[in-house]
């Protein structure tokens, strides 16, 4: 636990504490009475209420729509499965400003629904909820589906042979085994929707505002760091309470599971019910995920002769110091470095947390690992600039600052993806290997690694995808001569003109293609049983 604790203390706790202290201290004196003043304001209470209930509604809707897809990807085998799994993950890494704009084109004024049926959802909360499903669909599919694919189907088949109905067998046997993974997925979805920024900013307009949107407004528009600091503390406390409840309830329900090779559990659909479920999931993916992505691609091709793409190779002397296409290579470099950091930190933390003899202090760190997902990225970005500006950690001019910020978001995904699988490994296997003379390293290599290597690859894919699309903190610390893809897209969207908008859509399409290619490669490695993976 030493390295994960040190990493989160230096690169998360310290920057957040620095920005909060800057907002609550004036002339060296603390003004804690400001907390009650801010929380007591009617407009802030309205923001708190909307933030909470829309996050709960978004989480429930995402689970309702994505759990059937998790079953389809885990237990059914069909042509194009690997490609479709990569496509499902692409929306998760899109910059929120881009994906929000694409979703607005579907449900807003003049959008597809408006043209076909005269229906507009941009003035209702339904647009926000559906957009949140669009972003978080992959979280449930990959987190729950990854464990579901490794559950031994013979346990459910045995319950069926003893007279249980299909639903009863699933409810009594499979659902309890999936509970930790479902809880982990629900937790991540809730945290992302609780701290939603870009979606609410674009689709909510002046009517709806979350804590994240209000923190950004107070920081960047009103320049009221005091109110922003109070809202950060409120967000921090709410997320901490949710994580505490999650850690307590999930820990009580975890048991050892019989895990098998996921390549042996998927079968061709059998019966009308499974074929209908597959068709329904494919239709839902096409309408909810593929259609908004297709809008982005179409907009990037509006200029004849790939004009918007050719413009990416030129500098305009205003928006960037380098050609916009340079952001592609920069993002890939940062994402690889961030993934390596996140996998190292997350794997060590997951291995420590998975031990049955872990103490309360170690188990409590499980909840703290998720805090970066629930704290304002705006706060983290400003905190980096304030806290990491003096020796021995003066990193403001260092390239590593961006991967460190991205790894803060990627590491919790590594932990949450690997932890259910690690805790499900039967401890008796490790004990038997130790009795036969295996060293601790060999026990890990021979027992744990074969069972968790696929979960590790899934975790690495998530960390890579998150790093590619991270925007909130990166926008404050990315250097002008090395912008990432999301930062470049946001800068282009902030400038008027069809050329800038078209280039933003072209860069967004490139981001989708890069992400889909990386995820497709990951899927091939994940399912290749001939090599070390």
């Amino acid at each position: 636990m030493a390295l994960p604790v040190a990493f989160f203390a230096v690169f998360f706790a310290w920057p957040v504490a620095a920005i909060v202290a800057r907002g609550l201290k004036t002339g060296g004196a603390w003004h804690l009475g400001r907390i009650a003043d801010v929380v007591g304001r009617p407009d802030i209470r309205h923001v708190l209420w909307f933030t909470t209930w829309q996050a709960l509604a978004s989480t429930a809707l995402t689970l309702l729509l994505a759990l059937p897809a998790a079953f389809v990807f885990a237990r059914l085998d069909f042509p194009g499965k690997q490609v479709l799994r990569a496509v499902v993950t692409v929306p998760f890494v899109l910059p929120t400003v881009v994906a929000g704009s694409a979703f607005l084109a579907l449900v807003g004024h003049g959008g597809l629904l408006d043209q076909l049926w005269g229906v507009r959802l941009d003035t209702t909360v339904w647009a926000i909820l559906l957009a949140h499903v669009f972003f978080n669909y992959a979280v449930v599919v990959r987190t729950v589906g990854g464990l579901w694919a490794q559950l031994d189907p013979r346990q459910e088949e045995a319950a069926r042979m003893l007279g249980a109905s299909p639903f009863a067998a699933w409810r009594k046997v499979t659902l309890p085994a999936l509970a930790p993974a479902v809880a982990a997925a629900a937790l991540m979805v809730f945290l992302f929707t609780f701290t939603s920024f870009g979606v609410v900013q674009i689709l909510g307009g002046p009517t709806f505002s979350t804590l994240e949107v209000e923190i950004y407004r107070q920081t960047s528009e009103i320049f009221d760091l005091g109110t922003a600091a109070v809202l950060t503390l409120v967000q921090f406390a709410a997320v901490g309470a949710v994580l505490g409840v999650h850690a307590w309830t999930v820990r009580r329900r975890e048991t050892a599971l019989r895990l098998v090779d996921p390549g042996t559990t998927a079968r061709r659909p059998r019966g009308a019910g499974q074929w209908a479920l597959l068709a329904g999931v494919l239709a839902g993916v096409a309408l909810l995920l593929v259609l908004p992505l297709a809008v982005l691609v179409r907009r990037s091709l509006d200029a004849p002769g790939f004009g918007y793409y050719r413009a990416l190779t030129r500098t305009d002397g205003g928006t960037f110091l380098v050609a916009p296409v340079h952001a592609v290579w920069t993002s890939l470099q940062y994402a690889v470095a961030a993934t390596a950091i996140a996998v190292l930190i997350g794997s060590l933390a997951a291995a420590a947390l998975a031990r049955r003899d872990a103490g309360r202090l170690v188990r409590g760190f499980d909840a703290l690992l998720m805090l970066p997902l629930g704290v304002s990225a705006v706060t983290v970005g400003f905190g980096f600039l304030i806290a990491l500006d003096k020796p021995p950690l003066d990193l403001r001019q260092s390239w590593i600052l961006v991967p460190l910020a991205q790894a803060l978001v990627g590491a919790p995904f590594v932990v949450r993806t690997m932890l259910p699988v690690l805790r499900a490994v039967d401890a008796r296997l490790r004990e038997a290997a130790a009795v036969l003379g295996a060293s601790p390293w060999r026990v890990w290599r021979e027992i744990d690694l074969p069972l968790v290597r696929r979960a590790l690859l899934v975790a690495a894919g998530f960390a890579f995808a998150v790093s590619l699309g991270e925007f909130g903190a990166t926008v404050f610390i990315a250097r002008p001569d090395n912008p990432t893809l999301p930062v470049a897209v946001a800068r282009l969207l902030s400038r008027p003109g069809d050329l800038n908008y078209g280039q933003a859509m072209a860069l967004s399409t490139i981001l989708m293609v890069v992400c889909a290619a990386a995820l497709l490669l990951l899927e091939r490695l994940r399912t290749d049983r001939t090599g070390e993976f």
Side-chain angles (χ1 to χ4, degrees):
M1 292 297 296
L3 188 58
V5 169
F7 177 80
F8 280 92
V10 174
F11 298 112
F12 175 70
W14 185 17
V16 171
I19 191 67
V20 171
R22 180 70 65 91
L24 294 181
K25 290 179 67 175
T26 304
W30 290 89
H31 295 275
L32 299 181
R34 183 176 295 176
I35 297 178
D37 295 338
V38 172
V39 175
R41 287 164 44 182
D43 59 325
I44 297 300
R45 289 202 302 267
H46 177 74
V47 170
L48 289 172
W49 167 244
F50 175 74
T51 301
T52 303
W53 84 258
Q54 67 82 24
L56 291 172
S58 297
T59 303
L61 187 60
T62 303
L63 290 175
L64 179 66
L65 295 178
L67 280 177
F71 169 81
V72 166
F73 281 103
R75 290 297 172 85
L76 300 185
D77 188 20
F78 53 92
K81 179 178 177 179
Q82 294 181 17
V83 175
L84 188 62
R85 194 196 301 267
V87 170
V88 164
T89 311
V90 170
F92 184 71
V93 305
L94 286 179
T96 54
V97 290
V98 177
S101 299
F103 216 85
L104 187 64
L106 297 179
V107 301
H109 177 69
L112 184 62
L113 293 182
D114 192 15
Q115 295 177 9
L116 294 178
W117 300 292
V119 176
R120 290 181 54 187
L121 299 177
D122 57 321
T123 57
T124 70
V125 74
W126 280 105
I128 296 175
L129 298 182
L130 291 175
H132 283 161
V133 175
F134 171 81
F135 277 108
N136 297 294
Y137 195 90
V139 174
V140 178
V141 170
R142 298 185 73 92
T143 303
V144 179
L147 180 59
W148 206 335
Q150 297 186 71
L151 293 182
D152 192 343
R154 291 175 296 181
Q155 299 182 48
E156 189 172 327
E157 293 170 358
R160 294 282 305 276
M161 292 180 63
L162 293 174
S165 65
F167 178 75
W170 177 82
R171 183 172 59 87
K172 296 287 187 179
V173 178
T174 304
L175 183 59
L178 289 175
V182 173
L187 174 66
M188 286 188 285
V189 173
F190 179 84
L191 290 180
F192 277 117
T193 53
F194 188 82
T195 59
S196 182
F197 174 65
V199 169
V200 180
Q201 182 84 343
I202 293 175
L203 299 177
T207 306
F208 303 108
S209 178
T210 58
L211 275 173
E212 187 83 359
V213 173
E214 192 64 23
I215 290 172
Y216 176 81
R217 191 174 71 88
Q218 296 289 338
T219 304
S220 302
E221 298 178 8
I222 304 178
F223 303 106
D224 186 353
L225 286 182
T227 299
V230 171
L231 295 180
T232 298
L233 289 176
V234 171
Q235 190 178 63
F236 192 86
V239 170
V242 172
L243 293 177
V245 173
H246 170 268
W248 181 74
T249 55
V250 171
R251 183 73 182 182
R252 289 166 58 92
R253 301 193 63 178
E254 285 174 338
T255 57
L257 303 176
R258 183 184 300 171
L259 301 182
V260 297
D261 187 342
T264 64
T265 60
R267 297 287 188 271
R268 296 283 294 180
R270 292 176 293 183
Q274 290 190 354
W275 281 107
L277 179 62
L278 175 60
V281 168
L282 294 178
V285 169
L287 292 176
L288 189 60
L289 305 183
V290 177
L291 192 58
L293 301 181
V295 171
L296 293 181
V297 176
R298 183 189 63 80
R299 288 181 175 180
S300 71
L301 298 174
D302 282 346
F306 298 95
Y308 293 143
Y309 289 91
R310 287 188 284 107
L312 295 177
T313 61
R314 302 191 298 266
T315 58
D316 58 5
T319 306
F320 303 103
L321 299 178
V322 294
V325 73
H326 182 73
V328 178
W329 176 238
T330 300
S331 289
L332 290 175
Q333 290 177 303
Y334 285 158
V336 170
T339 301
I341 297 172
V343 168
L344 174 62
I345 298 299
S347 299
L348 291 174
L353 293 169
R355 293 180 60 90
R356 297 290 174 180
D357 57 349
R360 290 185 179 181
L361 184 62
V362 175
R363 292 197 300 267
F365 190 65
D366 185 10
L368 297 179
L369 288 171
M370 298 298 293
L371 285 179
L373 300 182
V375 173
S376 169
V378 175
T379 301
V380 174
F382 273 130
F384 266 48
L385 297 179
I386 293 174
L388 305 179
D389 63 341
K390 298 181 182 65
L393 281 177
D394 187 359
L395 302 177
R396 289 175 302 174
Q397 301 301 319
S398 174
W399 67 272
I400 197 64
L401 197 61
V402 174
L404 287 172
Q406 295 173 342
L408 277 174
V409 183
F413 281 96
V414 177
V415 175
R416 292 267 66 86
T417 304
M418 294 186 63
L419 197 54
V421 178
L422 280 171
R423 284 178 172 167
V425 176
D426 194 338
R428 292 173 296 182
L429 297 176
R430 302 189 184 102
E431 295 168 357
V435 169
L436 293 174
S439 64
W441 164 247
R442 188 173 182 183
V443 170
W444 162 259
R445 181 166 55 89
E446 300 289 346
I447 303 298
D448 292 79
L449 184 59
L451 294 174
V452 304
R453 59 189 178 189
R454 288 180 175 85
L456 182 62
L457 286 174
V458 172
F462 258 132
F464 183 82
V466 169
S467 300
L468 276 179
E470 205 286 322
F471 172 72
T474 305
V475 69
F476 296 105
I477 56 180
R479 296 171 54 179
D481 57 340
N482 281 307
T484 63
L485 275 170
V487 172
V489 169
R491 290 180 183 175
L492 287 169
L493 286 175
S494 66
R495 302 188 67 189
D498 292 338
L499 179 60
N500 289 316
Y501 186 81
Q503 288 183 88
M505 296 300 102
L507 276 181
S508 300
T509 302
I510 292 174
L511 176 58
M512 286 190 294
V513 172
V514 170
C515 177
L519 293 172
L520 184 58
L521 175 62
L522 179 68
E523 287 301 318
R524 294 183 66 88
L525 293 175
R526 181 175 177 268
T527 56
D528 182 8
R529 297 187 295 277
T530 62
E532 289 300 316
F533 290 99

